[in-house]
Amino acid sequence: MGIYAVKTTASQERTVADMIINREEESIHAALAPDSLTSYVMVEADDASVFDRILDEIPHANGVVQGESSMAEVEHFLSPKPDVEGIAEGDIVELIAGPFKGEKAQVQRIDEGKDQVTVELYEATVPIPVTVRGDQIRVLDSEER
């Protein structure tokens, strides 16, 4: 059993993965179409010969990359990275959602467990700490750079 990379048409990865799984082939165990991997679908199968049979019948599937991939090569696609990754205390951020959308702020504290960031708004007369989800901010300027 191995992991194989199936080449696809760009932005059709999820469609191809769904079609491969919906075929219910006994020798195919899983298909993965990660957002960060463009034009490829990772498929776990007993061997590559199964693709000779099925890829002609699946639109947007353009072939299989020679050789197998290891679990170590696809492992980072299996666990989502937290939204607060890459954000540091002191960074200047812009709020992109919520009631303070469009405001600039400075990161005061990061809670990776809850995926939240406490920021202090720049334009506020009185500094008020505001806690927002990690996906509601965009880093504008980082002190580490």
Side-chain angles (χ1 to χ4, degrees):
M1 188 161 43
I3 300 170
Y4 301 90
V6 176
K7 180 94 171 98
T8 67
T9 305
S11 71
Q12 295 295 324
E13 301 87 2
R14 202 149 280 180
T15 306
V16 171
D18 289 343
M19 289 182 180
I20 289 173
I21 287 300
N22 289 336
R23 290 188 57 88
E24 295 182 4
E25 290 278 335
E26 285 185 23
S27 57
I28 294 179
H29 305 288
L32 175 68
D35 293 333
S36 58
L37 188 62
T38 308
S39 300
Y40 291 94
V41 173
M42 305 308 292
V43 180
E44 184 180 25
D46 290 338
D47 57 57
S49 64
V50 68
F51 299 111
D52 297 336
R53 288 195 318 271
I54 68 167
L55 288 189
D56 292 339
E57 301 166 17
I58 297 178
H60 306 294
N62 301 329
V64 179
V65 176
Q66 291 285 26
E68 290 184 25
S69 296
S70 68
M71 184 56 89
E73 290 175 306
V74 296
E75 210 165 32
H76 65 282
F77 294 125
L78 300 176
S79 58
K81 74 175 199 183
D83 291 322
V84 297
E85 188 174 296
I87 298 173
E89 289 183 14
D91 284 357
I92 307 305
V93 297
E94 178 184 6
L95 283 85
I96 57 173
F100 300 106
K101 182 177 180 179
E103 295 284 331
K104 289 182 176 50
Q106 184 172 24
V107 176
Q108 300 298 314
R109 190 172 56 248
I110 300 165
D111 186 344
E112 289 186 17
K114 292 182 181 174
D115 210 18
Q116 293 180 338
V117 178
T118 301
V119 298
E120 207 169 82
L121 301 177
Y122 267 155
E123 308 295 318
T125 314
V126 179
I128 303 168
V130 178
T131 302
V132 295
R133 290 194 332 254
D135 63 348
Q136 293 183 337
I137 62 172
R138 176 173 52 109
V139 176
L140 296 176
D141 189 29
S142 178
E143 290 186 347
E144 293 176 359
R145 292 181 194 139

